[in-house]
Amino acid sequence: MEKLFKIGLIVKPQGIKGELKVQPLTDDITRFNNLKEVLIDDKNYRVDSAKIGGNTVFLSLFGINDRNTAETFRGKFLCVKRENAVKLEEGRYFISDIIGCKVITDENEVVGEITDVFSSRTDVLTVKCENGKIMRFPFLKDLVINVDVENKQFVVYKKRLSEVSCYEN
């Protein structure tokens, strides 16, 4: 199955002509300016127009021409295929590519597998450890040695990991 990236959540209809108010789920809200198509519930929609207002996007899609039709999309996610995802700068990763990576220390010890990423000012990774415990740690430059999403490996400094990680009870 092809990997899809969630880029927005439809909050509600906007106006009477079928426009959608969207909460962006992306670091770069301006990506909506170049958006040509989106998927909603695995169905393709061509983008007619996108306007950015503060931290919100107002999106018009071909085929959605009235408020009643737009209302049926409330609470649904806007997705794009990988080939339509934004190109990332060096050292930046898609959350979906990090999930499933094995966390390995610089001493070649397997800590566990990344199961979730909480995005905030500093991303926080959740790891299911080999011993069954749940660990969390921030994605810090002075902690992470290498991220290899193709080989699903996330290498960290063991000493620094012990300083910044915490475990669930």
Side-chain angles (χ1 to χ4, degrees):
M1 182 173 174
E2 186 173 17
K3 186 177 276 192
L4 299 178
F5 293 90
K6 292 178 184 175
I7 61 166
L9 173 65
I10 300 169
V11 179
K12 66 177 190 156
Q14 180 69 27
I16 61 170
K17 296 184 179 180
E19 192 172 48
L20 303 168
K21 182 177 181 180
V22 176
Q23 174 190 345
L25 301 175
T26 177
D27 290 348
D28 183 9
I29 194 170
T30 61
R31 68 135 19 253
F32 285 90
N33 290 330
N34 301 317
L35 198 58
K36 303 288 185 229
E37 70 177 22
V38 295
L39 286 100
I40 303 171
D41 290 339
D42 295 324
K43 184 176 177 192
N44 278 319
Y45 291 89
R46 281 190 314 135
V47 175
D48 184 26
S49 68
K51 295 178 282 200
I52 297 171
N55 292 327
T56 304
V57 176
F58 300 97
L59 203 62
S60 293
L61 304 176
F62 286 101
I64 303 173
N65 301 316
D66 61 82
R67 185 175 183 89
N68 290 337
T69 304
E71 181 64 46
T72 65
F73 290 88
R74 182 188 293 259
K76 297 188 181 220
F77 289 101
L78 295 175
C79 299
V80 294
K81 296 176 183 175
R82 180 175 282 279
E83 66 262 18
N84 294 326
V86 294
K87 304 300 180 236
L88 297 177
E89 299 171 14
E90 179 78 24
R92 298 189 56 100
Y93 310 93
F94 290 114
I95 289 173
S96 60
D97 289 339
I98 291 176
I99 291 175
C101 284
K102 291 279 184 207
V103 178
I104 303 168
T105 70
D106 55 335
E107 296 177 9
N108 211 28
E109 296 173 8
V110 176
V111 176
E113 184 176 306
I114 298 172
T115 59
D116 196 12
V117 178
F118 174 75
S119 294
S120 64
R121 193 172 303 204
T122 300
D123 291 339
V124 177
L125 287 73
T126 301
V127 175
K128 183 169 184 183
C129 297
E130 295 284 296
N131 62 11
K133 292 184 179 182
I134 301 297
M135 169 198 282
R136 289 192 176 83
F137 63 87
F139 192 139
L140 302 172
K141 289 181 183 178
D142 67 342
L143 167 65
V144 179
I145 298 170
N146 185 46
V147 177
D148 182 352
V149 294
E150 288 189 19
N151 293 309
K152 301 303 269 180
Q153 291 189 342
F154 197 95
V155 183
V156 297
Y157 291 107
K158 181 178 179 179
K159 182 177 186 303
R160 184 69 173 128
L161 181 64
S162 68
E163 296 169 348
V164 299
S165 63
C166 63
Y167 292 88
E168 276 188 6
N169 290 341

